[in-house]
Amino acid sequence: MSSNKLLKGSLATIVMRLLEEREQMYGYEITQKVKELTNGEIKVTEGALYPTLHKLEAEGFLTTETKMVDNRVRKYYALTREGNAEARNKVTELEEFMLNLQKVLHPKPGLS
Amino acid sequence: MTREEKHIATRYLQDLDFNEKEFFEEMYDHICSSYENRETSNQDISTHIYQVLEPAFGGKKGLKKLRSAQARTRGKLVLKRGFFLLGAYLFRWPTVLLTALMCILYFQLFQHYDTLEVFYNTLMVGIYIPFVLVHIGVFRFKRKCIKHDRPYTKSQVNNTIYAFSLSGGLFIFLVAKLINWVAYGGTYNSLDFFLKHPISLIPTCILIIVHCLVSLQLFKEKFELKVV
């Protein structure tokens, strides 16, 4: 399975976690931040990122604001109050899942 | 970025028929940001678009799919607000008070004036006002885009408000037709149906006016007229 497939289910959590820290980011910035944090190991493609951003916006977890930057319009995404709560839930959920996954992948000797 | 590079990025999006403000601006900024931060400094913009960006979006097909999905999402957000307002007029305090007052007013109007005349006047006010206003808005937005030399002439938000405003009259007549088919086996046409059952005119007129008020409020809150 490619890392893209593994990433798919957790992309919304990644986006929300980044926005929790940075308050507001634009699409390209998110792709670069993920790349930077993972030393290029995880690449979020634009084809996956934007549908996730638009879906989260439709669900009311993100709000948008446009600003003029370098003579062009830039759309910034930020978490709403519901989005902040959802981000914390999603991060906790993912952490618990990873912990359980570790248990499955590396079972302690004597338990099997 | 040079003027020529900006022109190539714009042309690329125009060739894909992306002529709605929201999607165009987001994609244009993405292309420019990505190109300005490209890893290979001697890579030209066309190569960057076709070799780096287009595959990342899943090709031209992926971009078009993304545009449709974004239009749907934006439409849903506007409609969600529209239905919230509609619900508020019909069920929520204190706006429901206004609807109740309209009921009393219509009851009185039907007592004192010709039923058909009241109905036609309601149709005129309730359907034509949003219809004219939204058309003017769409025209003004288009004119502004041309004046400021923008590469788009439409807006996803405006398209949804336009559709919502025009849907009112159609919805009322479809409901009337449906009731007519179900309850009376399609005996009357829509107008006959209303005339034979004048009591149905009060809720119909209320719905037309409420729909008009919601359309006007959506227009005031969300209609996009800024192009720069």
Side-chain angles (χ1 to χ4, degrees):
Chain A
M1 189 188 272
S2 71
S3 61
N4 270 350
K5 280 183 184 167
L6 288 171
L7 183 66
K8 211 176 169 184
S10 45
L11 188 54
T13 313
I14 292 171
V15 168
M16 290 174 97
R17 179 75 187 103
L18 287 176
L19 288 171
E20 207 182 7
E21 279 196 343
R22 297 285 296 265
E23 294 209 348
Q24 60 173 19
M25 292 173 96
Y26 58 99
Y28 178 74
E29 192 184 5
I30 295 172
T31 61
Q32 294 311 294
K33 191 71 193 167
V34 174
K35 202 170 155 188
E36 183 197 314
L37 289 171
T38 61
N39 295 320
E41 287 297 318
I42 295 179
K43 282 180 188 161
V44 176
T45 64
E46 285 80 349
L49 175 71
Y50 282 103
T52 305
L53 286 171
H54 298 156
K55 188 171 171 276
L56 289 171
E57 191 190 353
E59 285 169 348
F61 296 134
L62 297 186
T63 178
T64 59
E65 188 190 352
T66 51
K67 287 180 188 171
M68 283 297 277
V69 179
D70 296 334
N71 215 21
R72 60 179 187 258
V73 178
R74 180 162 289 166
K75 187 174 170 184
Y76 283 92
Y77 292 88
L79 286 176
T80 58
R81 204 156 34 143
E82 294 82 19
N84 261 305
E86 182 68 9
R88 280 192 290 275
N89 287 341
K90 277 188 176 286
V91 170
T92 313
E93 199 181 308
L94 188 62
E95 279 171 347
E96 278 169 9
F97 177 73
M98 288 194 302
L99 212 68
N100 288 324
L101 201 62
Q102 284 285 343
K103 286 178 195 166
V104 175
L105 296 175
H106 307 288
K108 283 180 188 165
L111 285 177
S112 51
Chain B
M1 273 175 81
T2 65
R3 209 184 155 95
E4 180 62 22
E5 286 166 341
K6 284 178 185 171
H7 180 69
I8 292 171
T10 304
R11 271 305 294 270
Y12 173 74
L13 293 170
Q14 279 181 320
D15 287 346
L16 288 168
D17 270 340
F18 295 156
N19 62 351
E20 288 149 339
K21 182 180 186 256
E22 297 86 350
F23 191 69
F24 185 94
E25 282 177 341
E26 190 163 31
M27 289 303 108
Y28 179 73
D29 180 54
H30 191 97
I31 292 173
C32 294
S33 304
S34 177
Y35 181 64
E36 284 165 353
N37 296 291
R38 64 196 182 278
E39 283 161 8
T40 328
S41 58
N42 59 357
Q43 191 177 51
D44 65 89
I45 186 143
S46 295
T47 315
H48 187 74
I49 289 173
Y50 289 105
Q51 290 185 2
V52 180
L53 285 170
E54 205 177 86
F57 276 104
K60 287 189 172 75
K61 209 174 154 187
L63 270 162
K64 285 184 177 175
K65 217 170 119 183
L66 185 62
R67 192 263 297 262
S68 308
Q70 200 206 29
R72 271 199 305 276
T73 306
R74 208 136 297 285
K76 269 185 207 168
L77 283 172
V78 176
L79 289 179
K80 197 174 156 188
R81 176 73 185 143
F83 285 115
F84 173 82
L85 292 170
L86 210 64
Y89 275 110
L90 298 178
F91 308 110
R92 272 183 221 108
W93 184 263
T95 34
V96 71
L97 194 67
L98 187 72
T99 315
L101 284 173
M102 279 196 284
C103 281
I104 297 167
L105 179 74
Y106 269 102
F107 192 74
Q108 291 300 322
L109 283 172
F110 284 135
Q111 298 283 319
H112 296 97
Y113 297 96
D114 177 47
T115 313
L116 205 58
E117 201 179 318
V118 174
F119 181 58
Y120 278 142
N121 283 323
T122 304
L123 270 183
M124 289 285 280
V125 171
I127 293 177
Y128 286 116
I129 289 180
F131 179 85
V132 171
L133 200 69
V134 172
H135 271 88
I136 292 173
V138 168
F139 176 72
R140 274 184 64 195
F141 181 77
K142 194 173 179 174
R143 219 179 57 174
K144 271 190 177 180
C145 290
I146 295 166
K147 191 181 164 192
H148 289 94
D149 201 23
R150 293 281 123 182
Y152 46 77
T153 52
K154 290 177 183 173
S155 153
Q156 290 171 343
V157 172
N158 294 357
N159 288 349
T160 310
I161 297 176
Y162 180 87
F164 183 84
S165 302
L166 300 192
S167 67
L170 187 71
F171 177 75
I172 300 291
F173 279 102
L174 281 178
V175 170
K177 266 212 160 348
L178 192 72
I179 297 170
N180 184 21
W181 279 333
V182 174
Y184 304 99
T187 326
Y188 319 117
N189 65 36
S190 296
L191 191 60
D192 280 345
F193 170 77
F194 284 128
L195 290 175
K196 300 264 183 203
H197 304 89
I199 195 71
S200 66
L201 276 172
I202 293 182
T204 308
C205 288
I206 299 293
L207 277 178
I208 292 170
I209 296 295
V210 165
H211 179 269
C212 168
L213 291 174
V214 171
S215 298
L216 295 182
Q217 200 157 337
L218 276 183
F219 184 84
K220 191 180 150 204
E221 280 179 16
K222 308 242 176 212
F223 203 86
E224 194 67 73
L225 283 172
K226 276 193 283 180
V227 293
V228 278

